[in-house]
mmCIF file of all heavy atoms in Angstrom:
data_model
loop_
_atom_site.group_PDB
_atom_site.id
_atom_site.type_symbol
_atom_site.label_atom_id
_atom_site.label_comp_id
_atom_site.label_asym_id
_atom_site.label_seq_id
_atom_site.Cartn_x
_atom_site.Cartn_y
_atom_site.Cartn_z
ATOM 1 N N ALA A 32 106.076 107.591 89.481
ATOM 2 C CA ALA A 32 105.957 108.147 90.828
ATOM 3 C C ALA A 32 105.727 109.629 90.674
ATOM 4 O O ALA A 32 106.306 110.315 89.834
ATOM 5 C CB ALA A 32 107.255 107.879 91.584
ATOM 6 N N ILE A 33 104.783 110.129 91.494
ATOM 7 C CA ILE A 33 104.439 111.575 91.494
ATOM 8 C C ILE A 33 104.441 112.069 92.944
ATOM 9 O O ILE A 33 103.847 111.406 93.814
ATOM 10 C CB ILE A 33 103.049 111.810 90.919
ATOM 11 C CG1 ILE A 33 103.007 111.230 89.423
ATOM 12 C CG2 ILE A 33 102.652 113.361 90.848
ATOM 13 C CD1 ILE A 33 101.556 111.192 88.949
ATOM 14 N N HIS A 34 105.076 113.165 93.238
ATOM 15 C CA HIS A 34 105.033 113.737 94.498
ATOM 16 C C HIS A 34 104.751 115.228 94.404
ATOM 17 O O HIS A 34 105.237 115.919 93.546
ATOM 18 C CB HIS A 34 106.439 113.600 95.175
ATOM 19 C CG HIS A 34 106.489 114.309 96.504
ATOM 20 N ND1 HIS A 34 106.700 115.648 96.736
ATOM 21 C CD2 HIS A 34 106.299 113.794 97.773
ATOM 22 C CE1 HIS A 34 106.689 115.917 98.033
ATOM 23 N NE2 HIS A 34 106.374 114.732 98.667
ATOM 24 N N GLU A 35 103.678 115.667 95.190
ATOM 25 C CA GLU A 35 103.289 117.070 95.135
ATOM 26 C C GLU A 35 103.268 117.720 96.528
ATOM 27 O O GLU A 35 102.894 117.122 97.472
ATOM 28 C CB GLU A 35 101.857 117.120 94.650
ATOM 29 C CG GLU A 35 101.665 116.603 93.278
ATOM 30 C CD GLU A 35 100.217 116.697 92.894
ATOM 31 O OE1 GLU A 35 99.727 117.859 92.643
ATOM 32 O OE2 GLU A 35 99.587 115.692 92.825
ATOM 33 N N SER A 36 103.888 118.831 96.616
ATOM 34 C CA SER A 36 103.822 119.802 97.802
ATOM 35 C C SER A 36 103.809 121.112 97.173
ATOM 36 O O SER A 36 102.818 121.538 96.472
ATOM 37 C CB SER A 36 104.942 119.468 98.813
ATOM 38 O OG SER A 36 106.174 119.660 98.207
ATOM 39 N N ASP A 37 104.837 121.943 97.386
ATOM 40 C CA ASP A 37 104.947 123.204 96.644
ATOM 41 C C ASP A 37 105.313 123.141 95.216
ATOM 42 O O ASP A 37 104.989 123.901 94.430
ATOM 43 C CB ASP A 37 105.774 124.177 97.412
ATOM 44 C CG ASP A 37 107.144 123.627 97.876
ATOM 45 O OD1 ASP A 37 107.224 122.343 97.859
ATOM 46 O OD2 ASP A 37 108.025 124.297 98.238
ATOM 47 N N LEU A 38 105.920 121.961 94.886
ATOM 48 C CA LEU A 38 106.268 121.593 93.459
ATOM 49 C C LEU A 38 105.787 120.238 93.159
ATOM 50 O O LEU A 38 105.549 119.430 94.005
ATOM 51 C CB LEU A 38 107.844 121.567 93.285
ATOM 52 C CG LEU A 38 108.598 122.816 93.589
ATOM 53 C CD1 LEU A 38 110.080 122.514 93.488
ATOM 54 C CD2 LEU A 38 108.240 123.826 92.474
ATOM 55 N N VAL A 39 105.638 119.931 91.818
ATOM 56 C CA VAL A 39 105.223 118.590 91.431
ATOM 57 C C VAL A 39 106.543 117.932 90.875
ATOM 58 O O VAL A 39 107.135 118.469 89.935
ATOM 59 C CB VAL A 39 104.211 118.621 90.297
ATOM 60 C CG1 VAL A 39 103.858 117.233 89.843
ATOM 61 C CG2 VAL A 39 102.910 119.228 90.784
ATOM 62 N N LEU A 40 106.867 116.749 91.465
ATOM 63 C CA LEU A 40 108.058 116.062 91.108
ATOM 64 C C LEU A 40 107.634 114.719 90.543
ATOM 65 O O LEU A 40 106.625 114.158 90.916
ATOM 66 C CB LEU A 40 108.980 115.781 92.249
ATOM 67 C CG LEU A 40 109.537 117.117 93.031
ATOM 68 C CD1 LEU A 40 110.266 116.738 94.246
ATOM 69 C CD2 LEU A 40 110.350 117.873 92.123
ATOM 70 N N GLY A 41 108.510 114.165 89.614
ATOM 71 C CA GLY A 41 108.186 112.847 89.078
ATOM 72 C C GLY A 41 109.404 112.035 89.078
ATOM 73 O O GLY A 41 110.499 112.515 89.305
ATOM 74 N N GLY A 42 109.286 110.714 88.878
ATOM 75 C CA GLY A 42 110.347 109.801 88.743
ATOM 76 C C GLY A 42 111.193 109.667 90.025
ATOM 77 O O GLY A 42 110.711 109.573 91.067
ATOM 78 N N LEU A 43 112.546 109.617 89.854
ATOM 79 C CA LEU A 43 113.426 109.349 90.989
ATOM 80 C C LEU A 43 113.377 110.446 92.063
ATOM 81 O O LEU A 43 113.375 110.135 93.219
ATOM 82 C CB LEU A 43 114.937 109.224 90.427
ATOM 83 C CG LEU A 43 115.924 108.908 91.455
ATOM 84 C CD1 LEU A 43 115.545 107.647 92.230
ATOM 85 C CD2 LEU A 43 117.342 108.813 90.850
ATOM 86 N N GLU A 44 113.273 111.745 91.607
ATOM 87 C CA GLU A 44 113.152 112.885 92.549
ATOM 88 C C GLU A 44 111.909 112.615 93.447
ATOM 89 O O GLU A 44 111.895 112.832 94.659
ATOM 90 C CB GLU A 44 113.056 114.171 91.823
ATOM 91 C CG GLU A 44 114.331 114.616 91.206
ATOM 92 C CD GLU A 44 114.149 115.922 90.486
ATOM 93 O OE1 GLU A 44 113.097 116.095 89.806
ATOM 94 O OE2 GLU A 44 115.019 116.824 90.570
ATOM 95 N N ALA A 45 110.774 112.168 92.769
ATOM 96 C CA ALA A 45 109.607 111.970 93.560
ATOM 97 C C ALA A 45 109.736 110.790 94.564
ATOM 98 O O ALA A 45 109.376 110.885 95.721
ATOM 99 C CB ALA A 45 108.419 111.604 92.635
ATOM 100 N N LEU A 46 110.405 109.715 94.121
ATOM 101 C CA LEU A 46 110.563 108.594 95.036
ATOM 102 C C LEU A 46 111.344 108.955 96.172
ATOM 103 O O LEU A 46 111.102 108.382 97.366
ATOM 104 C CB LEU A 46 111.342 107.476 94.244
ATOM 105 C CG LEU A 46 110.460 106.607 93.329
ATOM 106 C CD1 LEU A 46 111.318 105.646 92.515
ATOM 107 C CD2 LEU A 46 109.329 105.923 94.038
ATOM 108 N N LEU A 47 112.370 109.749 96.115
ATOM 109 C CA LEU A 47 113.167 110.218 97.299
ATOM 110 C C LEU A 47 112.284 110.949 98.249
ATOM 111 O O LEU A 47 112.445 110.603 99.496
ATOM 112 C CB LEU A 47 114.317 111.084 96.834
ATOM 113 C CG LEU A 47 115.443 110.358 95.952
ATOM 114 C CD1 LEU A 47 116.446 111.353 95.475
ATOM 115 C CD2 LEU A 47 116.071 109.233 96.778
ATOM 116 N N GLU A 48 111.464 111.850 97.808
ATOM 117 C CA GLU A 48 110.488 112.517 98.680
ATOM 118 C C GLU A 48 109.501 111.626 99.225
ATOM 119 O O GLU A 48 109.088 111.663 100.447
ATOM 120 C CB GLU A 48 109.871 113.737 97.981
ATOM 121 C CG GLU A 48 110.796 114.880 97.557
ATOM 122 C CD GLU A 48 111.429 115.518 98.723
ATOM 123 O OE1 GLU A 48 110.705 115.688 99.770
ATOM 124 O OE2 GLU A 48 112.596 115.867 98.653
ATOM 125 N N ILE A 49 108.980 110.699 98.520
ATOM 126 C CA ILE A 49 107.982 109.727 98.954
ATOM 127 C C ILE A 49 108.495 108.852 100.078
ATOM 128 O O ILE A 49 107.810 108.609 101.069
ATOM 129 C CB ILE A 49 107.511 108.803 97.800
ATOM 130 C CG1 ILE A 49 106.719 109.669 96.779
ATOM 131 C CG2 ILE A 49 106.695 107.684 98.321
ATOM 132 C CD1 ILE A 49 106.385 108.971 95.470
ATOM 133 N N GLU A 50 109.783 108.346 99.952
ATOM 134 C CA GLU A 50 110.410 107.524 100.970
ATOM 135 C C GLU A 50 110.448 108.302 102.314
ATOM 136 O O GLU A 50 110.248 107.782 103.326
ATOM 137 C CB GLU A 50 111.752 107.082 100.505
ATOM 138 C CG GLU A 50 111.710 105.955 99.552
ATOM 139 C CD GLU A 50 113.071 105.453 99.085
ATOM 140 O OE1 GLU A 50 114.119 106.128 99.351
ATOM 141 O OE2 GLU A 50 113.115 104.402 98.458
ATOM 142 N N ARG A 51 110.896 109.641 102.151
ATOM 143 C CA ARG A 51 110.913 110.409 103.437
ATOM 144 C C ARG A 51 109.585 110.529 104.137
ATOM 145 O O ARG A 51 109.496 110.423 105.305
ATOM 146 C CB ARG A 51 111.549 111.804 103.143
ATOM 147 C CG ARG A 51 113.010 111.792 103.035
ATOM 148 C CD ARG A 51 113.487 113.288 102.826
ATOM 149 N NE ARG A 51 114.649 113.262 102.058
ATOM 150 C CZ ARG A 51 114.772 113.792 100.853
ATOM 151 N NH1 ARG A 51 113.805 114.464 100.387
ATOM 152 N NH2 ARG A 51 115.934 113.646 100.151
ATOM 153 N N ASP A 52 108.594 110.837 103.254
ATOM 154 C CA ASP A 52 107.256 111.031 103.861
ATOM 155 C C ASP A 52 106.701 109.731 104.495
ATOM 156 O O ASP A 52 106.110 109.722 105.575
ATOM 157 C CB ASP A 52 106.321 111.563 102.800
ATOM 158 C CG ASP A 52 106.456 112.996 102.416
ATOM 159 O OD1 ASP A 52 107.172 113.665 103.223
ATOM 160 O OD2 ASP A 52 105.975 113.417 101.348
ATOM 161 N N ALA A 53 106.857 108.606 103.705
ATOM 162 C CA ALA A 53 106.326 107.375 104.180
ATOM 163 C C ALA A 53 106.900 106.879 105.432
ATOM 164 O O ALA A 53 106.329 106.022 106.205
ATOM 165 C CB ALA A 53 106.481 106.296 103.046
ATOM 166 N N ALA A 54 108.146 107.291 105.822
ATOM 167 C CA ALA A 54 108.743 106.855 107.070
ATOM 168 C C ALA A 54 108.242 107.470 108.329
ATOM 169 O O ALA A 54 108.496 106.977 109.432
ATOM 170 C CB ALA A 54 110.325 107.081 106.936
ATOM 171 N N THR A 55 107.424 108.552 108.114
ATOM 172 C CA THR A 55 106.868 109.274 109.333
ATOM 173 C C THR A 55 105.594 108.647 109.777
ATOM 174 O O THR A 55 104.782 108.257 108.875
ATOM 175 C CB THR A 55 106.758 110.750 109.091
ATOM 176 O OG1 THR A 55 105.796 110.897 108.075
ATOM 177 C CG2 THR A 55 108.112 111.387 108.693
ATOM 178 N N LEU A 56 105.344 108.685 111.047
ATOM 179 C CA LEU A 56 104.099 108.131 111.591
ATOM 180 C C LEU A 56 102.869 108.848 111.255
ATOM 181 O O LEU A 56 101.765 108.335 111.383
ATOM 182 C CB LEU A 56 104.232 107.890 113.048
ATOM 183 C CG LEU A 56 105.385 106.901 113.520
ATOM 184 C CD1 LEU A 56 105.483 106.795 115.057
ATOM 185 C CD2 LEU A 56 105.059 105.489 112.944
ATOM 186 N N ASP A 57 103.000 110.128 110.889
ATOM 187 C CA ASP A 57 101.808 110.947 110.665
ATOM 188 C C ASP A 57 101.226 110.843 109.221
ATOM 189 O O ASP A 57 100.483 111.545 108.792
ATOM 190 C CB ASP A 57 102.035 112.416 111.024
ATOM 191 C CG ASP A 57 103.055 113.123 110.202
ATOM 192 O OD1 ASP A 57 103.956 112.425 109.650
ATOM 193 O OD2 ASP A 57 103.083 114.366 110.199
ATOM 194 N N THR A 58 101.949 109.908 108.456
ATOM 195 C CA THR A 58 101.613 109.707 107.043
ATOM 196 C C THR A 58 100.574 108.580 106.951
ATOM 197 O O THR A 58 100.636 107.614 107.721
ATOM 198 C CB THR A 58 102.787 109.338 106.233
ATOM 199 O OG1 THR A 58 103.745 110.352 106.345
ATOM 200 C CG2 THR A 58 102.491 109.006 104.758
ATOM 201 N N LEU A 59 99.571 108.787 106.036
ATOM 202 C CA LEU A 59 98.663 107.652 105.689
ATOM 203 C C LEU A 59 99.041 107.130 104.330
ATOM 204 O O LEU A 59 99.213 107.883 103.323
ATOM 205 C CB LEU A 59 97.231 108.151 105.626
ATOM 206 C CG LEU A 59 96.641 108.566 106.986
ATOM 207 C CD1 LEU A 59 95.237 109.009 106.824
ATOM 208 C CD2 LEU A 59 96.667 107.383 107.970
ATOM 209 N N ILE A 60 99.144 105.797 104.180
ATOM 210 C CA ILE A 60 99.449 105.110 102.955
ATOM 211 C C ILE A 60 98.244 104.257 102.534
ATOM 212 O O ILE A 60 97.865 103.389 103.297
ATOM 213 C CB ILE A 60 100.804 104.290 103.070
ATOM 214 C CG1 ILE A 60 101.905 105.103 103.557
ATOM 215 C CG2 ILE A 60 101.083 103.663 101.737
ATOM 216 C CD1 ILE A 60 103.152 104.402 103.912
ATOM 217 N N SER A 61 97.718 104.438 101.370
ATOM 218 C CA SER A 61 96.560 103.721 100.863
ATOM 219 C C SER A 61 96.967 102.863 99.692
ATOM 220 O O SER A 61 97.607 103.363 98.836
ATOM 221 C CB SER A 61 95.454 104.662 100.523
ATOM 222 O OG SER A 61 95.071 105.578 101.567
ATOM 223 N N LEU A 62 96.466 101.665 99.732
ATOM 224 C CA LEU A 62 96.689 100.731 98.597
ATOM 225 C C LEU A 62 95.409 100.765 97.797
ATOM 226 O O LEU A 62 94.358 100.421 98.333
ATOM 227 C CB LEU A 62 96.921 99.344 99.129
ATOM 228 C CG LEU A 62 97.405 98.253 98.085
ATOM 229 C CD1 LEU A 62 98.151 97.121 98.782
ATOM 230 C CD2 LEU A 62 96.243 97.718 97.262
ATOM 231 N N ILE A 63 95.447 101.200 96.619
ATOM 232 C CA ILE A 63 94.187 101.415 95.747
ATOM 233 C C ILE A 63 94.355 100.645 94.443
ATOM 234 O O ILE A 63 95.268 100.701 93.750
ATOM 235 C CB ILE A 63 94.054 102.953 95.411
ATOM 236 C CG1 ILE A 63 93.924 103.650 96.760
ATOM 237 C CG2 ILE A 63 92.892 103.095 94.522
ATOM 238 C CD1 ILE A 63 94.105 105.145 96.613
ATOM 239 N N GLU A 64 93.432 99.709 94.253
ATOM 240 C CA GLU A 64 93.393 98.824 93.115
ATOM 241 C C GLU A 64 92.704 99.586 91.907
ATOM 242 O O GLU A 64 91.631 100.150 92.140
ATOM 243 C CB GLU A 64 92.683 97.538 93.424
ATOM 244 C CG GLU A 64 92.786 96.550 92.330
ATOM 245 C CD GLU A 64 92.107 95.209 92.689
ATOM 246 O OE1 GLU A 64 91.360 95.119 93.758
ATOM 247 O OE2 GLU A 64 92.354 94.216 92.062
ATOM 248 N N LEU A 65 93.302 99.406 90.796
ATOM 249 C CA LEU A 65 92.704 99.932 89.559
ATOM 250 C C LEU A 65 92.672 98.769 88.548
ATOM 251 O O LEU A 65 93.451 97.790 88.633
ATOM 252 C CB LEU A 65 93.638 101.019 88.882
ATOM 253 C CG LEU A 65 93.783 102.283 89.620
ATOM 254 C CD1 LEU A 65 94.808 103.136 88.762
ATOM 255 C CD2 LEU A 65 92.449 103.020 89.752
ATOM 256 N N SER A 66 91.848 98.916 87.500
ATOM 257 C CA SER A 66 91.844 97.959 86.434
ATOM 258 C C SER A 66 93.078 98.230 85.640
ATOM 259 O O SER A 66 93.649 99.263 85.690
ATOM 260 C CB SER A 66 90.588 98.070 85.559
ATOM 261 O OG SER A 66 90.705 99.340 84.842
ATOM 262 N N ASN A 67 93.540 97.150 84.934
ATOM 263 C CA ASN A 67 94.714 97.316 84.109
ATOM 264 C C ASN A 67 94.570 98.460 83.061
ATOM 265 O O ASN A 67 95.450 99.184 82.781
ATOM 266 C CB ASN A 67 95.136 95.996 83.347
ATOM 267 C CG ASN A 67 95.810 95.065 84.381
ATOM 268 O OD1 ASN A 67 96.181 95.436 85.485
ATOM 269 N ND2 ASN A 67 95.982 93.824 83.820
ATOM 270 N N ASP A 68 93.313 98.601 82.533
ATOM 271 C CA ASP A 68 93.081 99.623 81.560
ATOM 272 C C ASP A 68 93.283 100.977 82.173
ATOM 273 O O ASP A 68 93.867 101.881 81.554
ATOM 274 C CB ASP A 68 91.678 99.537 80.996
ATOM 275 C CG ASP A 68 91.468 98.287 80.054
ATOM 276 O OD1 ASP A 68 92.490 97.701 79.593
ATOM 277 O OD2 ASP A 68 90.305 97.867 79.870
ATOM 278 N N ASP A 69 92.726 101.233 83.354
ATOM 279 C CA ASP A 69 92.914 102.448 84.020
ATOM 280 C C ASP A 69 94.363 102.758 84.341
ATOM 281 O O ASP A 69 94.823 103.924 84.130
ATOM 282 C CB ASP A 69 92.104 102.555 85.316
ATOM 283 C CG ASP A 69 90.608 102.813 85.090
ATOM 284 O OD1 ASP A 69 90.245 103.237 83.905
ATOM 285 O OD2 ASP A 69 89.800 102.552 86.006
ATOM 286 N N ALA A 70 95.093 101.746 84.788
ATOM 287 C CA ALA A 70 96.506 101.944 85.078
ATOM 288 C C ALA A 70 97.347 102.313 83.923
ATOM 289 O O ALA A 70 98.172 103.206 83.944
ATOM 290 C CB ALA A 70 97.114 100.664 85.751
ATOM 291 N N VAL A 71 97.014 101.676 82.743
ATOM 292 C CA VAL A 71 97.623 101.988 81.454
ATOM 293 C C VAL A 71 97.357 103.385 81.064
ATOM 294 O O VAL A 71 98.279 104.177 80.629
ATOM 295 C CB VAL A 71 97.304 101.005 80.371
ATOM 296 C CG1 VAL A 71 97.816 101.480 79.010
ATOM 297 C CG2 VAL A 71 97.924 99.599 80.672
ATOM 298 N N ARG A 72 96.143 103.874 81.227
ATOM 299 C CA ARG A 72 95.785 105.255 80.839
ATOM 300 C C ARG A 72 96.564 106.270 81.655
ATOM 301 O O ARG A 72 97.011 107.274 81.178
ATOM 302 C CB ARG A 72 94.249 105.434 81.105
ATOM 303 C CG ARG A 72 93.477 105.229 79.875
ATOM 304 C CD ARG A 72 92.013 105.735 80.046
ATOM 305 N NE ARG A 72 91.227 104.519 79.682
ATOM 306 C CZ ARG A 72 90.482 103.800 80.450
ATOM 307 N NH1 ARG A 72 90.366 104.059 81.699
ATOM 308 N NH2 ARG A 72 89.849 102.757 79.978
ATOM 309 N N VAL A 73 96.735 105.936 82.974
ATOM 310 C CA VAL A 73 97.491 106.781 83.842
ATOM 311 C C VAL A 73 98.916 106.949 83.397
ATOM 312 O O VAL A 73 99.510 107.982 83.270
ATOM 313 C CB VAL A 73 97.441 106.332 85.294
ATOM 314 C CG1 VAL A 73 98.391 107.193 86.219
ATOM 315 C CG2 VAL A 73 96.017 106.539 85.867
ATOM 316 N N VAL A 74 99.556 105.733 83.042
ATOM 317 C CA VAL A 74 100.946 105.821 82.584
ATOM 318 C C VAL A 74 101.088 106.618 81.357
ATOM 319 O O VAL A 74 102.035 107.421 81.150
ATOM 320 C CB VAL A 74 101.448 104.331 82.349
ATOM 321 C CG1 VAL A 74 102.795 104.334 81.594
ATOM 322 C CG2 VAL A 74 101.550 103.634 83.689
ATOM 323 N N ASN A 75 100.043 106.465 80.430
ATOM 324 C CA ASN A 75 100.140 107.229 79.173
ATOM 325 C C ASN A 75 99.799 108.742 79.396
ATOM 326 O O ASN A 75 100.339 109.568 78.684
ATOM 327 C CB ASN A 75 99.101 106.702 78.217
ATOM 328 C CG ASN A 75 99.537 105.297 77.650
ATOM 329 O OD1 ASN A 75 100.668 104.989 77.643
ATOM 330 N ND2 ASN A 75 98.511 104.470 77.302
#
């Protein structure tokens, strides 16, 4: 999980901010499909 505003947060800290943002109606949430190879590269 990655969250960016004035700081870049990762992991649990990012998830807490993401949950707050996702609950508001002015947020857009996109589901984006990647190949497994691309997803593994991102994790690495």
Side-chain angles (χ1 to χ4, degrees):
I33 303 167
H34 179 273
E35 296 180 75
S36 58
D37 44 344
L38 297 172
V39 177
L40 302 173
L43 184 57
E44 290 177 318
L46 282 174
L47 294 172
E48 293 296 321
I49 291 167
E50 285 180 347
R51 278 190 213 112
D52 286 344
T55 64
L56 295 176
D57 65 339
T58 298
L59 291 178
I60 305 171
S61 304
L62 188 159
I63 300 164
E64 185 175 18
L65 293 178
S66 69
N67 282 351
D68 290 341
D69 283 342
V71 168
R72 265 189 234 110
V73 171
V74 170
N75 291 333

